Amino acid sequence: MAMTRQWRLASRPVGEPTRDNFDLVSVDRPEPGPNEVLVRTLYQSVDPYMRGRMRDAESYAEPWDVGEPMRAGVVGEVIASNAAAFSAGDIVTGDLLWAEHAVADASELRHVNPEHGPISTALGVLGMPGVTAYFGLLDVAEPTPGDTVVVSAAAGAVGSVAGQLAQLNGARVVGTAGSEAKVEWLTDDLGFDAAINYNATDDLSSAVDDACLDGIDVYFDNVGGPITDAVWPRLNVRARVAVCGQIALYNETDVPTGPRKLGKLIESRARVEGFLVSDYEGRWGEALHRLSRFIRDGDLEYRENVVEGFENAPDAFLGLFKGENIGKQLVKVAEYEQ
Amino acid sequence: MAMTRQWRLASRPVGEPTRDNFDLVSVDRPEPGPNEVLVRTLYQSVDPYMRGRMRDAESYAEPWDVGEPMRAGVVGEVIASNAAAFSAGDIVTGDLLWAEHAVADASELRHVNPEHGPISTALGVLGMPGVTAYFGLLDVAEPTPGDTVVVSAAAGAVGSVAGQLAQLNGARVVGTAGSEAKVEWLTDDLGFDAAINYNATDDLSSAVDDACLDGIDVYFDNVGGPITDAVWPRLNVRARVAVCGQIALYNETDVPTGPRKLGKLIESRARVEGFLVSDYEGRWGEALHRLSRFIRDGDLEYRENVVEGFENAPDAFLGLFKGENIGKQLVKVAEYEQ
């Protein structure tokens, strides 16, 4: 029988995950049942939110079980189909497994049209991260022309889209990121008004001050922790904070503490709101339509950081917490031959 | 020349204010200029927000100057008037001074109709605290029938109104307060579904759990600090937090720290918003109209805690931080003779 490989959760991490928390196993390649499709993975996504699923704690996403395969956004090719909507050779995307092959119900898959651009974008700018940025920025943060918008992890898959969407809405955009290469991408290529390398300053607070002389109207937060502490005192009256992620805190073993933040909200009458892209399921098409158009018009750029080889998927994931990626972090699992 | 007395800010407090921060001085009774009114204070308000004005820091309210008289909400009687809209004997309210007599421009005063109820209520349930509760609860927190609403400092001037308005909107209401007498008032008289005496438990977290078995949909926060920490983990999906005050933190000398709170907002997609009643200036009449009606219909109860004598105004203020007051804290400065 044909085999395939899966990455399984070997153990729950304490603090920062390590390769020991992952287990590569060979299993029989699954057969699709009624209305099911067998997909060969071409690209697999790794995302910060996955850290939450490694934890044995109640959250918006079910925790992964130890000893079981983990789940991931995948772009792949249909190998076999028992569903009318999909045929062998189709390119599809869905939440499948960290696996070289996986079976999915037809309802869990979407078609990807290779003529619309690189298929890998279905996991990045035209996938979950792009759609997250779209709704978080436009629906939650609501920037208006002239606003100063700060985006943390601005060179990441979500932040880079959020920042550019803010620019398209007429805002002045300031990004934070962890390397000079990222800062250069933001300012030189994407045209951000300013970018702060938080690893190159020992006074983040002054750096934020200098970059935001008129205060901050919108903060799109992917990071939390000290960067958010530096942003907070500069929030303007009626500022909006869209809380997308808190990657700086995901590996903490104790309850993270920091300056109390609610008092500032009274003075500024600011609004802070968390959001999940899954709440926008019904409007996914709207976001993809507009994001595609921005890309076609040259108004939205993206980068991908591709790790080659399924066996390196855990390293790609671990790199997220080291700030290794510029743009969307992907694992290339198999060659796509058109 | 006739004299009057004023309380002035003697020095800025470090930590909890003391009587030494206040200075009682006798000055010439002021004369009203054109379009001005001389008011004899009958009741003076003391409010937690005043602690912020004692501080030399940028905030939504100008800091008071050392050596100058402090400001307060006052209900008083017009002694002399150079303004067409006011005559001697009228009862008025406005933001005047901590003083037995003060002059105000006619534009700073509102008439109080003694036939509508005790004139002191213009500083409480039918004044700034009541209007604060009204807009904070209805406009910011937006409870819906069946919601569990938690109000901190629920036996205070703002909290007691916010909690009752939540009940009128069909919510299940849980209050926190610092004494058994307050808890009894909330549950036995006001009919709150539950009330927690935070001074009588060493496990606030479990107390909140037990009182909010279905989680928390709305948190109306007057207090901040450990009470807010206990509430936070129970916020439901789409919960709303209206940040009205943070009295637990006002006397801190260092930046207060506590558990980081933004991560929870992602999972719960909760919204946290600060507000100031001054932003609702144009809708003050709407709030007073509805609050008066609720009182008349027996749907809204209130209590006042009255300290007698202008010389005791600082003690009344200091008592706010010791949790001495049930309901609105007032200073009775002179007898009202109808």
Side-chain angles (χ1 to χ4, degrees):
Chain A
M1 196 171 189
M3 303 292 284
T4 192
R5 292 187 298 171
Q6 298 177 337
W7 278 106
R8 295 186 172 177
L9 183 63
S11 56
R12 300 200 185 280
V14 178
E16 190 157 334
T18 66
R19 233 187 132 127
D20 290 344
N21 301 126
F22 301 86
D23 208 4
L24 186 60
V25 295
S26 283
V27 296
D28 290 342
R29 188 180 294 182
E31 302 274 352
N35 204 42
E36 284 185 344
V37 176
L38 174 63
V39 178
R40 180 171 74 107
T41 301
L42 299 171
Y43 288 96
Q44 182 206 312
S45 181
V46 289
D47 301 276
Y49 79 83
M50 293 173 166
R51 180 62 183 83
R53 304 197 66 178
M54 299 179 88
R55 204 183 291 273
D56 185 19
E58 200 186 327
S59 175
Y60 56 90
E62 285 283 293
W64 289 327
D65 290 321
V66 172
E68 294 294 317
M70 301 174 293
R71 303 192 71 85
V74 157
V75 167
E77 183 182 357
V78 173
I79 301 293
S81 173
N82 292 328
F86 297 96
S87 313
D90 285 359
I91 302 298
V92 294
T93 186
D95 268 317
L96 303 183
L97 299 182
W98 288 45
E100 290 175 303
H101 299 80
V103 146
D105 190 85
S107 65
E108 299 176 277
L109 297 174
R110 260 188 271 258
H111 279 99
V112 173
N113 187 336
E115 289 170 12
H116 286 176
I119 60 172
S120 56
T121 58
L123 298 176
V125 65
L126 295 178
M128 184 276 284
V131 175
T132 299
Y134 181 90
F135 289 113
L137 191 87
L138 300 178
D139 245 60
V140 182
E142 302 182 286
T144 56
D147 275 358
T148 294
V149 174
V150 174
V151 179
S152 59
V158 176
S160 59
V161 177
Q164 291 179 83
L165 291 176
Q167 289 180 303
L168 290 168
N169 267 41
R172 201 180 154 268
V173 179
V174 176
T176 69
S179 74
E180 283 310 305
K182 290 177 182 177
V183 159
E184 278 170 27
W185 183 50
L186 295 175
T187 52
D188 299 354
D189 295 333
L190 303 188
F192 278 31
D193 296 275
I196 298 166
N197 176 358
Y198 58 81
N199 281 321
T201 175
D202 47 15
D203 188 354
L204 202 48
S205 194
S206 299
V208 171
D209 265 348
D210 292 345
C212 305
L213 295 176
D214 296 326
I216 295 167
D217 303 293
V218 164
Y219 177 42
F220 189 104
D221 187 17
N222 295 300
V223 173
I227 291 174
T228 297
D229 299 342
V231 162
W232 214 257
R234 279 99 201 148
L235 292 177
N236 284 337
V237 168
R238 301 280 173 209
R240 286 85 63 206
V241 177
V243 190
C244 180
Q246 299 278 281
I247 194 171
L249 311 176
Y250 291 167
N251 292 326
E252 295 281 339
T253 48
D254 295 322
V255 175
T257 59
R260 289 190 181 274
K261 296 197 159 47
L262 300 191
K264 174 69 183 177
L265 302 183
I266 303 174
E267 177 197 325
S268 60
R269 294 86 105 190
R271 165 166 63 81
V272 184
E273 199 166 344
F275 69 98
L276 287 178
V277 68
S278 51
D279 289 332
Y280 293 92
E281 198 64 42
R283 293 175 60 195
W284 199 274
E286 166 201 333
L288 288 190
H289 177 76
R290 290 196 61 201
L291 291 168
S292 311
R293 201 180 189 110
F294 288 138
I295 293 173
R296 206 166 55 237
D297 294 347
D299 289 332
L300 179 58
E301 294 181 42
Y302 63 90
R303 275 176 72 162
E304 296 176 337
N305 202 53
V306 180
V307 163
E308 301 269 343
F310 182 65
E311 59 281 7
N312 296 318
D315 298 297
F317 174 69
L318 300 177
L320 295 172
F321 300 97
K322 300 182 171 71
E324 289 174 357
N325 57 305
I326 297 191
K328 174 59 195 169
Q329 180 63 56
L330 295 169
V331 182
K332 186 171 165 186
V333 176
E335 202 63 51
Y336 171 48
E337 286 149 19
Q338 246 170 324
Chain B
M1 196 172 189
M3 303 292 282
T4 193
R5 292 187 297 172
Q6 300 177 338
W7 278 106
R8 295 186 172 177
L9 183 63
S11 56
R12 301 200 185 280
V14 177
E16 191 157 334
T18 67
R19 231 184 136 128
D20 290 343
N21 301 125
F22 301 87
D23 207 5
L24 185 61
V25 296
S26 283
V27 297
D28 290 344
R29 189 180 293 181
E31 303 274 352
N35 202 43
E36 285 186 343
V37 176
L38 175 63
V39 178
R40 180 172 74 105
T41 301
L42 300 170
Y43 289 97
Q44 181 205 311
S45 182
V46 288
D47 302 276
Y49 79 83
M50 293 172 165
R51 180 62 183 84
R53 303 197 67 178
M54 302 178 87
R55 204 183 291 272
D56 185 19
E58 199 187 327
S59 175
Y60 57 89
E62 285 284 292
W64 289 328
D65 290 322
V66 172
E68 294 295 317
M70 300 174 294
R71 304 192 70 85
V74 158
V75 166
E77 183 181 359
V78 173
I79 300 295
S81 173
N82 292 328
F86 298 95
S87 314
D90 284 0
I91 303 299
V92 295
T93 186
D95 268 315
L96 304 183
L97 299 182
W98 288 45
E100 291 175 304
H101 298 81
V103 145
D105 189 84
S107 64
E108 300 176 277
L109 297 173
R110 260 188 270 254
H111 279 99
V112 173
N113 188 337
E115 290 170 11
H116 286 177
I119 60 171
S120 57
T121 57
L123 298 175
V125 65
L126 295 177
M128 184 276 285
V131 175
T132 299
Y134 181 90
F135 288 113
L137 191 86
L138 300 178
D139 245 58
V140 181
E142 302 180 286
T144 56
D147 275 357
T148 294
V149 174
V150 173
V151 180
S152 58
V158 176
S160 58
V161 177
Q164 290 178 84
L165 291 177
Q167 287 180 303
L168 289 169
N169 267 41
R172 199 178 157 271
V173 180
V174 177
T176 69
S179 74
E180 282 309 306
K182 291 177 181 177
V183 159
E184 277 168 28
W185 182 49
L186 295 175
T187 51
D188 298 354
D189 295 336
L190 303 188
F192 278 30
D193 296 275
I196 298 166
N197 176 358
Y198 59 81
N199 282 321
T201 174
D202 48 13
D203 187 355
L204 202 49
S205 194
S206 299
V208 172
D209 264 347
D210 292 346
C212 306
L213 295 176
D214 296 325
I216 296 167
D217 302 294
V218 165
Y219 177 42
F220 189 103
D221 186 17
N222 296 299
V223 173
I227 291 173
T228 297
D229 298 342
V231 163
W232 215 256
R234 278 99 202 151
L235 292 177
N236 284 338
V237 169
R238 301 278 173 211
R240 284 84 64 205
V241 177
V243 189
C244 180
Q246 299 278 282
I247 194 171
L249 311 177
Y250 290 167
N251 292 326
E252 295 281 340
T253 48
D254 295 321
V255 174
T257 59
R260 290 190 181 275
K261 296 196 160 47
L262 300 190
K264 175 69 183 177
L265 303 183
I266 304 174
E267 177 196 324
S268 60
R269 292 86 105 190
R271 165 166 63 82
V272 184
E273 199 165 345
F275 68 99
L276 287 177
V277 68
S278 52
D279 289 331
Y280 293 92
E281 200 63 43
R283 294 175 60 194
W284 198 273
E286 166 200 333
L288 289 189
H289 177 78
R290 289 195 62 199
L291 291 168
S292 312
R293 201 183 189 108
F294 288 138
I295 293 172
R296 207 166 55 237
D297 294 347
D299 289 330
L300 178 59
E301 294 182 42
Y302 63 92
R303 276 177 72 163
E304 296 174 339
N305 202 56
V306 180
V307 164
E308 302 268 343
F310 181 65
E311 59 281 8
N312 296 317
D315 298 298
F317 174 69
L318 301 177
L320 295 173
F321 300 97
K322 299 181 172 70
E324 288 173 357
N325 56 305
I326 298 192
K328 175 61 197 167
Q329 181 62 55
L330 295 168
V331 183
K332 186 171 167 186
V333 176
E335 201 63 52
Y336 171 47
E337 286 150 16
Q338 246 170 323

